[in-house]
Amino acid sequence: MKENIILSKSIDFSVGIKNYCKVLYNQKESTIANQLMRCGMAIGANVSEAQQAESRLDFIHKMKIAAKEASESMYWLSVCEKTNLTGFQNELLVEVNQIIAILSRIIISAKKNA
């Protein structure tokens, strides 16, 4: 069976976000941690749901939601970077940018084949 790259990347990203949010909670940055945890974990959840889509339009819709959550994750990670929070992990920004690029290609491809 062929590896599902976007699903693997989004799960790995979720694990990284969960670990980084522990650092944020320890720094009493619960507002940012809560937001980042919610949107960062939602990417993989929506990608996973899309694997069981009822139609191509449902698949596209779930992938668009995943892309929006990835965009929000990028926003919160950028806030963390710019505020110089201790423990910031630049690789999370790199990963979310890769996820956004992959999701964009998947959505464009799915729309062409709709």
Side-chain angles (χ1 to χ4, degrees):
M1 183 176 208
K2 188 176 177 184
E3 180 188 9
N4 187 327
I5 294 170
I6 189 59
L7 187 57
S8 295
K9 280 192 165 293
S10 60
I11 290 170
D12 291 344
F13 182 73
S14 292
V15 171
I17 287 296
K18 185 176 183 296
N19 291 335
Y20 180 52
C21 285
K22 285 181 193 176
V23 173
L24 291 174
Y25 285 122
N26 287 337
Q27 293 181 38
K28 308 292 189 239
E29 294 288 349
S30 59
T31 301
I32 293 173
N34 290 338
Q35 291 289 77
L36 188 54
M37 181 79 83
R38 185 198 56 73
C39 59
M41 304 289 275
I43 300 166
N46 281 288
V47 168
S48 182
E49 280 186 48
Q51 305 312 299
Q52 304 301 320
E54 296 175 12
S55 66
R56 183 163 301 280
L57 289 177
D58 186 35
F59 175 82
I60 292 167
H61 177 69
K62 299 244 187 304
M63 289 301 205
K64 282 183 173 182
I65 293 171
K68 287 180 181 182
E69 297 293 351
S71 181
E72 183 179 345
S73 297
M74 187 169 62
Y75 169 81
W76 287 112
L77 287 169
S78 295
V79 169
C80 292
E81 179 185 38
K82 293 201 182 302
T83 55
N84 296 317
L85 291 174
T86 305
F88 176 74
Q89 299 171 11
N90 193 57
E91 53 275 2
L92 290 173
L93 265 177
V94 172
E95 286 180 45
V96 78
N97 277 310
Q98 291 173 353
I99 288 169
I100 290 169
I102 294 167
L103 287 169
S104 295
R105 288 192 301 271
I106 290 170
I107 292 165
I108 290 167
S109 178
K111 283 181 175 181
K112 285 181 182 175
N113 296 323

